[in-house]
Amino acid sequence: MADEERDEARAEADRVLEAVRAALRQLEAIPDAAVRARAAGLILRAWPAERGLASEIRQEAVDTLHRGGMDFPEIGEAIGTDRSRAWRIWKGMS
């Protein structure tokens, strides 16, 4: 993968992470400390399920690459991993 492609992926990931951080910072605006703490706790408990969304998006992207004609060694190269991990992502195992 070309350095500029890696830089583009890093820039996109950083952009999304900044939006997530900004959304979480909204907790700080809750004036009641007890409500703020409970709301933060609810988010922390829900967070593992939300992590699955990123996995689903990655799996769908790998599927799109595969349906587009790329084989797993090519997909692995494109996404910065090896072919077996690319296959596991495609199968929903990773």
Side-chain angles (χ1 to χ4, degrees):
M1 177 187 313
D3 285 340
E4 66 190 42
E5 290 173 0
R6 287 176 211 234
D7 291 344
E8 182 180 350
R10 177 79 268 161
E12 289 298 325
D14 288 345
R15 181 184 62 76
V16 169
L17 286 170
E18 184 56 37
V20 169
R21 285 184 194 104
L24 289 170
R25 290 271 176 213
Q26 293 178 36
L27 288 167
E28 294 172 328
I30 299 171
D32 183 309
V35 173
R36 186 169 60 246
R38 286 194 310 267
L42 289 167
I43 289 170
L44 287 168
R45 283 194 291 279
W47 198 257
E50 297 307 318
R51 187 174 182 269
L53 178 58
S55 294
E56 289 173 25
I57 292 167
R58 181 180 62 177
Q59 182 181 6
E60 194 282 322
V62 167
D63 185 56
T64 297
L65 294 171
H66 184 61
R67 284 185 285 116
M70 291 178 80
D71 62 21
F72 291 107
E74 292 171 320
I75 294 169
E77 175 71 23
I79 68 171
T81 191
D82 61 49
R83 67 182 181 186
S84 65
R85 178 145 171 102
W87 181 85
R88 288 192 310 275
I89 292 168
W90 180 67
K91 293 296 278 184
M93 300 167 61
S94 177

